[in-house]
Amino acid sequence: MQLTDLTMLELAAKLAAGEVSSEEATRASLARIQQVDPKVRAFLRVDEAGALAAARASDVRRKSGSPASALDGVPLGLKDIFLTEGVETTAGSRILEGFVPPYDATVVRLLKEAGLPLVGKLNMDEFAMGSSNESSAFFPCHNPWDVSRTPGGSSGGSAAAVAAREVFGALGTDTGGSIRQPAALTNTVGLKPTYGRVSRFGVIAFASSLDQPGPMTRTVADAAALLQVIARPDARDATSADAPVPDYSADLEAGVRGLKLGVPREYFTEGMDPEVEAAVREALREYERLGATLVDVSLPHTKYALATYYLIAPAEASSNLARYDGVRFGLRAKDARSLRDVYALTREQGFGAEVKRRIMLGTFALSSGYYDAHYLRAQKVRTLIREDFTRAFQQVDALLSPTSPVPAFKLGEKVEDPLSMYLMDIYTLPCNLAGLPGLSVPCGFTKAGLPVGLQILGRPFDEAGLLRIARAYEREHDFFRRSAPL
């Protein structure tokens, strides 16, 4: 077994025992990036000097018997949406090319305080707007399980880097499924925490009422350990929840016997890939064998979720992205002859097609005469969607569904058809609208060797319950031990 084949907790155990150093692990990670990233293209930039300096500092702490945390010395990757002091941060957009933040996002600061070397910044759809990583302004990321296919998005670089063994874990963000969908397409675990559980301070905003950072790892136990580091109330984020943070690893092995798991009928619809449905339904039977009771439930307003999301998210994006005008951040058009030209040309040259599409959609939804008809009505439907989940959780402990309706699709297959691309998030985005936690855990492969993910949705702030349910299934299988054929 190569050093990079270890999970985060396996590496942490070897670091604690003195069997390997953080510098060795970080150099192994950097070597793996050099070996496979020309095919995967998960990284936008690698911070070799910064990662090695952090690794050496970790080794000093370990030798002195004072590690900063259980994960001290475990190398990690970051989606390029988290502000990192002194390291260029672009959110996958030309308009932020050259922007070097003067401070760290809260989650970045917490990772540094916990002693994790940060290897580099990972590819993503521009401003997290996409489901395939193809709207990255720089280059698309490839799925390690089949490099002719997408790893999903928008956190596709994070998922691909973990799946390709380039890093031991990563952070992504999830606005409509951007952690869970790429996790499902790459045989990795992706956890979208409850809205407010993890600080958004220093995370470049797409849709402020939906965005949420979370861990992307090879195993459920790794996701629990990483969430433990970043789940903190934060006074610098007005939407951060001042809720108690439990020990996420305490009940991981408690199993599912006696639990009631809901199966929403609206999540098993026509158009789902037959092999995806077969893998998910086999996972449901596995939960019954493990002692859980499956309960048929209905979430009747799910059919409005896609339309609701594509009114609210673009509306918030059109407001958030107004700040990129050529004056304060990144790109400024060089051929502008007036201030008006600076605004118009910078945005014309700096934003990609998908970002422009969503800004226009959002601006229209918020414009005078249309606000009540579109945006306000969407917010009312959002409340109905949230109430559906509240009623369901009066009957069951969690909900099970497919994460994605299809396995990884070919690069270029959907770029000319935005609606088809938007449908890739049809099972994940209702969770964001309701502010709930959601997790994707690997549940098999298609005959072509493409990963399939099972989605688990839970009550607000019940991430521990989701991790326990996911772990019960994971320990019956060896999916996380399989390596992508790079």
Side-chain angles (χ1 to χ4, degrees), residues 82-256:
F82 297 100
L83 298 189
T84 42
E85 183 179 358
V87 179
E88 184 183 13
T89 301
T90 66
S93 179
R94 291 285 180 199
I95 208 163
L96 279 175
E97 200 167 11
F99 170 61
V100 179
Y103 60 89
D104 286 328
T106 291
V107 292
V108 175
R109 176 179 58 78
L110 290 172
L111 292 171
K112 289 182 176 178
E113 289 175 357
L116 286 82
L118 304 176
V119 175
K121 308 299 288 289
L122 292 157
N123 206 350
M124 57 178 288
D125 285 295
E126 185 177 9
F127 284 104
M129 298 180 192
S131 305
S132 69
N133 223 130
E134 291 169 288
S135 76
S136 167
F138 303 103
F139 42 80
C141 183
H142 299 249
N143 193 316
W145 293 91
D146 178 347
V147 293
S148 71
R149 297 175 185 270
T150 163
S154 64
S155 306
S158 300
V162 175
R165 309 294 203 248
E166 295 177 71
V167 286
F168 296 85
L171 286 193
T173 58
D174 193 315
T175 304
S178 288
I179 286 176
R180 291 159 289 154
Q181 187 253 15
L185 271 49
T186 57
N187 194 43
T188 54
V189 175
L191 171 59
K192 180 254 171 207
T194 308
Y195 183 78
R197 173 60 93 189
V198 178
S199 172
R200 294 185 302 107
F201 178 78
V203 179
I204 294 175
F206 161 18
S208 300
S209 74
L210 300 164
D211 301 337
Q212 185 62 197
M216 303 185 77
T217 59
R218 291 176 208 159
T219 68
V220 174
D222 282 0
L226 191 48
L227 180 63
Q228 201 74 56
V229 174
I230 61 174
R232 307 277 178 87
D234 184 7
R236 286 175 292 185
D237 175 3
T239 61
S240 174
D242 188 16
V245 179
D247 180 348
Y248 291 113
S249 301
D251 292 326
L252 264 187
E253 304 297 338
V256 294

Side-chain angles (χ1 to χ4, degrees), residues 130-131 153 176-177 181 306 310 405 421-430:
S131 305
Q181 187 253 15
L306 189 72
Y310 278 99
M421 187 73 82
Y422 297 166
L423 286 168
M424 296 301 97
D425 295 331
I426 193 165
Y427 300 140
T428 52
L429 52 83

